Amino acid sequence: DTGVSQNPRHKITKRGQNVTFRCDPISEHNRLYWYRQTLGQGPEFLTYFQNEAQLEKSRLLSDRFSAERPKGSFSTLEIQRTEQGDSAMYLCASRSQVEEQYFGPGTRLTVT
Amino acid sequence: AQKVTQAQTEISVVEKEDVTLDCVYETRDTTYYLFWYKQPPSGELVFLIRRNSFDEQNEISGRYSWNFQKSTSSFNFTITASQVVDSAVYFCALKGIHGGSQGNLIFGKGTKLSVKP
């Protein structure tokens, strides 16, 4: 296994459109996290899955955001009616029982 | 509340110099973990080290060393004999065990390190 993968790597969309990102975690990792990182800032937590259960959501995750992990493997993050403020790098991370999280390369979203 | 402060926004050094990146954290948890991650220009966060709150032993890994001091709530990172390949943004992060958190990391704003030849 080569690590956490994310697709697409880059996404440019017009304001008001919907976008969906995918994360494939390291195969034996049952915990999966989504973070958002804006320029000059550290990553900020969005949501967390243990297996298929979404156990925590940040207040940053507005109603326009939804995340799923249907079979406890890959996860998707959808943003509906995108706004320019949604432009950011969206990072996915996974971990097993140990504490450190392993991050994917991110999806850079630009909303025009 | 949990918080991580990296007061140094940018540091520039010349190759072979030693450099220390500062990290100060706040937490009410008695059990917690501290991390350092490296984010090179390619963008992917690379895990460097994890320490738990009960282990204050300093750690050395090659040219990297970490100084964890609970008395000052600091977890500083030193690169000895820096190299151009060390140029990246370095993030310090905290994870508490209690307080309802499911284990998400609280990151500082990062320190951008530029190592010039």
Side-chain angles (χ1 to χ4, degrees):
Chain A
D1 192 296
T2 57
V4 179
S5 61
Q6 292 186 246
N7 288 290
R9 294 292 307 277
H10 303 274
K11 179 71 177 178
I12 300 174
T13 191
K14 292 185 179 179
R15 190 175 56 183
Q17 297 295 305
N18 299 344
V19 294
T20 299
F21 312 140
R22 176 176 169 132
C23 170
D24 287 89
I26 294 171
S27 57
E28 63 268 25
H29 288 184
N30 63 341
R31 295 167 168 84
L32 186 147
Y33 300 79
W34 284 98
Y35 292 82
R36 182 175 71 186
Q37 185 179 20
T38 53
L39 200 62
Q41 302 294 317
E44 295 174 293
F45 170 73
L46 293 178
T47 190
Y48 161 69
F49 289 86
Q50 184 165 329
N51 300 311
E52 65 275 11
Q54 187 173 20
L55 297 184
E56 189 175 0
K57 290 193 285 189
S58 160
R59 284 171 292 190
L60 291 176
L61 212 67
S62 76
D63 292 344
R64 297 183 297 105
F65 287 69
S66 62
E68 294 182 344
R69 195 181 182 199
K71 296 182 181 179
S73 56
F74 72 92
S75 176
T76 58
L77 177 68
E78 181 183 16
I79 309 174
Q80 295 182 326
R81 304 181 303 282
T82 51
E83 301 173 356
Q84 286 187 323
D86 297 332
S87 295
M89 176 78 86
Y90 289 85
L91 295 164
C92 176
S94 70
R95 72 174 179 99
S96 59
Q97 298 296 327
V98 295
E99 298 299 335
E100 50 268 31
Q101 297 177 20
Y102 292 89
F103 284 80
T107 295
R108 183 170 295 284
L109 173 66
T110 302
V111 181
T112 62
Chain B
Q2 298 186 96
K3 185 179 177 181
V4 175
T5 302
Q6 295 180 255
Q8 305 149 308
T9 306
E10 290 192 43
I11 300 176
S12 182
V13 299
V14 176
E15 211 171 15
K16 297 185 183 176
E17 284 186 23
D18 299 346
V19 58
T20 295
L21 310 181
D22 298 333
C23 173
V24 174
Y25 63 92
E26 296 175 31
T27 181
R28 293 179 189 167
D29 291 337
T30 54
T31 301
Y32 53 89
Y33 293 89
L34 295 163
F35 304 81
W36 276 94
Y37 283 85
K38 174 182 180 179
Q39 189 173 43
S42 60
E44 187 165 341
L45 281 158
V46 177
F47 166 74
L48 295 178
I49 189 171
R50 163 177 56 93
R51 305 296 289 179
N52 72 51
S53 51
F54 296 110
D55 184 0
E56 285 193 72
Q57 271 196 324
N58 292 331
E59 183 155 340
I60 298 174
S61 176
R63 296 184 297 106
Y64 295 170
S65 61
W66 291 269
N67 185 329
F68 174 30
Q69 293 195 345
K70 285 179 77 169
S71 60
T72 55
S73 297
S74 66
F75 185 43
N76 296 337
F77 173 29
T78 297
I79 302 175
T80 303
S82 59
Q83 298 176 2
V84 172
V85 293
D86 296 327
S87 297
V89 180
Y90 290 86
F91 290 97
C92 180
L94 165 70
K95 187 194 113 168
I97 300 298
H98 303 296
S101 167
Q102 294 290 342
N104 52 285
L105 300 176
I106 308 296
F107 284 86
K109 292 188 176 184
T111 297
K112 182 178 180 180
L113 174 65
S114 299
V115 182
K116 299 180 179 178

